[in-house]
Structure formats: C-alpha cells, structure tokens
Amino acid sequence: MAKNAIVGQSGGPTSVINSSLAGVFESCKRRGAGKVYGMMHGVAGLLERRVCVLDDKLRNALDIELLKRTPSSYLGSCRYKLPDWHTPEGEEVYRKLFDILEELDIGYFFYIGGNDSMDTIGKLADYGAYIQSEIRFMGVPKTIDNDLMVTDHTPGYGSAAKYIGVVMKEIIRDATVYGTKYVTIVEIMGRNAGWLTAAASLAKAEDCEGVDMICLPEVPFNVDRFVEKVERMQQNKPSIVIAVSEGVKLEDGRYVCELADDVHAVDAFGHKALTGTARFLANTVARRLDTKTRCIELSTLQRCAGHLTSRTDITEAYQVGGAAAKAAFEGHTGEMVALDRISNAPYQCTTSLHPISEVANLEKKVPLEWVNADHTAMTQEFISYAMPLIQAELTPIYVEGLPHHIYLPEA
C-alpha cells in the first residue's frame, strides 16, 4: 500500500507560498501517494497532532486555482526551533515527532520555508538517518527576503519586489505634488540582506524619476552622513523619497532602530523584531533640517499582497513544490530544491537539488558590486537580475469586487 505524504509551511508567509503547497500536493497525488496530510502551524502543530487531510480540502481544480491565488500560509505557520537531538530532552521531541509520523504512515515529508525551515529539514533528515527511518525529508524554498544560498532567487521574492516597485512609484507621485521641502522615508523588510529594499530601484522608468536614495543592511550606516546626504539632495530637489531597509546597521553592529526607545521582542530563533527605523530617521531629519518628513512602513503588506503577485513567481513556486515531490519519490532526502537561471533574455529557469547543509543557517547578501559607488542606488546588473522575476500577473478571482480566497477555519 502506498505511503502517505505530509507537508507544512513555516516562517513568514508570502503571497505565493500556497502555490508551492499546490505543487507538492498535486505532484504527490500524481505519483501515487496515499493521503497527503497538512501540518496545521508547521512542526509546532505536528507535535500537538494538529493535522488535516488535504485530499478532503482540495477537492477540485477550482480549489487548486484558489489556493495558488490565496496569499499567506493556508496551513498556518510557526517559528519553532527544533532542539538538538543529541540531548535527552531533544531526543524525546524527535521520538515524539517520528512516532506521530509512523502513526500517519508517512513516507514523504515536505517543509516550505526559509533559512530556519531548512534547519528543521536538516535536523529531521539527520535524525531519520540515525534511526534508519525510510522517511524522505525535502525542503521547498520560500522567502520574500531572497537570502537563501544555492538558489538564484526564492519563490516569494518576485511578488514582493513587484509590490515594492509598484508602491514606490505611487509614493513618488504623491510625494512631489506640493513642490515644497519634504522627505519621505519608506521602511522595507530585510534583516541582514537588502534584496527587498533594492527592489525599490525598479520604480525608476521613463514615467518615474525613481527613489533618491536606497539604504541596504550590507552597507554600514552612519546617521550623520545620512542627514548630510539628505541636506545636499534637497538643495537641488525639495521633495525626496528614500527606501531604507529595516535592518540597516551602524558600524558597531547595532541596528539603527535600536537607537529609538522602542522595545524589540525576540523570537524562538533569537531574531530581534525590527521596526521603527524609518520613524527614527524621519524624526532625526526633521529635528536637524528645516523640512517636513514622513515615514511609511510597508510591513506585512509586502508579503501578503495577493492582488499584485508576479505570474513568474507563482509559476516557479508551483514548480519547486512539484520538483521536491518528484525528488522525494525518487529517493532523495535531506535536500532543498533550488532555482537555476539559464538566461535573462529570454528569461529561462530550471531546478536542481542541493544538500540542506549548503543552505541552512546561511545567508545570501546583495553583491556590493550591484550597488553604486555612493551606496545610494542599484546598478543595471541588479535591474537585469530582478526585472524578469516581476513579469506578468495572475489576477485574483474576484467576487463582488473583492478577491476570493480559500482558507481553513481554526478548529
């Protein structure tokens, strides 16, 4: 009798993460899986035996299409760090997990996520090998941060970049209507890698002058020099728009947002919550210069704007889900699917497999050669890299003027 499969989603959602879920589900069913289970809220939910049978939820082609076009994590997410299984306490957690997987007759395990999720896959695959389990563990890449190693880009990034490019064009139009001195600082997600903030450069075109400054976490930040640049820019152009990463850091390693008085919580992986960078910088500029300022935090809108997804992104998200299922059924385990770019014009991309050890707990940064000498703008190399990822659209299915989604009500 055919083994069952199980799939979970972890970490921050994206607007196309459910397309990967659809890819895993459909590929598993085509390859003869018994049931396909979904973990409710990732591994944390699985430890509580919170699972659903996706066969009962995704019953027809319309459900699959709605799933592809529904943003955020259909199964729910978590930020749960698996302990080290070499300790007595840790091994107890793994024994419980593998007991649950055995009860469900699981042969194939898929986890859709970013760096921390790949860490989970690596640990489960290692423990599985240690106890000689036949379960195959595969990682499916997902993150708007675009910071996973070995893959050219990550599903989720293209749609977030598209949203940022669109919104920056609209903010620039709004910021210049009065012709008076005004500084608009837009805070964009990105802890240690500035891929999302770099996407603000996509706004520049024949119909838009683009942003005036881009600040990435890869470049050490100096508040005094930042204010001086703003002052110089306003001598030639009263109203300027700046894109700044939430994760910009001072030369001593502190995040700029830590200069404010806000309290910053820490998650299970030790990541400090970053917010308030744009507000701090806008207040600083207003205090030091004779100008009005405003701050805008795009926040979660960057990752859940299902009405502005890239068709390229949705297609590739589905593709990596299917490739992970194919690999698992062919005997692969402890690996992640990567996207390999073949060419930019025409844009072509394929997939490959890499050991989790090449991905987990590592970060891919924006190449500094893709930033101009003044560290204020992106070069053409970045534009050529990012532009193919935002192409085309997959329009939501609208009902009474609003996009229609598929969702699982909380039990």
Side-chain angles (χ1 to χ4, degrees), residues 17 44 46 58 61 83 89 111 140 142 145 158 166 201 207 241-242 255 295 302 318 332 340 349 372 375:
I17 187 173
L46 180 59
L58 306 174
E89 298 82 4
Y111 217 35
V140 183
K142 169 276 329 172
D145 293 321
V166 168
S201 63
D207 64 334
V241 177
I242 299 167
Y255 291 106
C295 64
Q302 296 156 90
Y318 184 86
H332 291 268
D340 298 331
C349 200
N372 70 351
H375 296 153

Side-chain angles (χ1 to χ4, degrees), residues 107-129:
Y108 314 96
F109 184 109
F110 305 95
Y111 217 35
I112 307 170
N115 269 312
D116 297 331
S117 303
M118 296 309 117
D119 176 69
T120 296
I121 281 289
K123 288 176 176 176
L124 289 172
D126 286 347
Y127 186 77

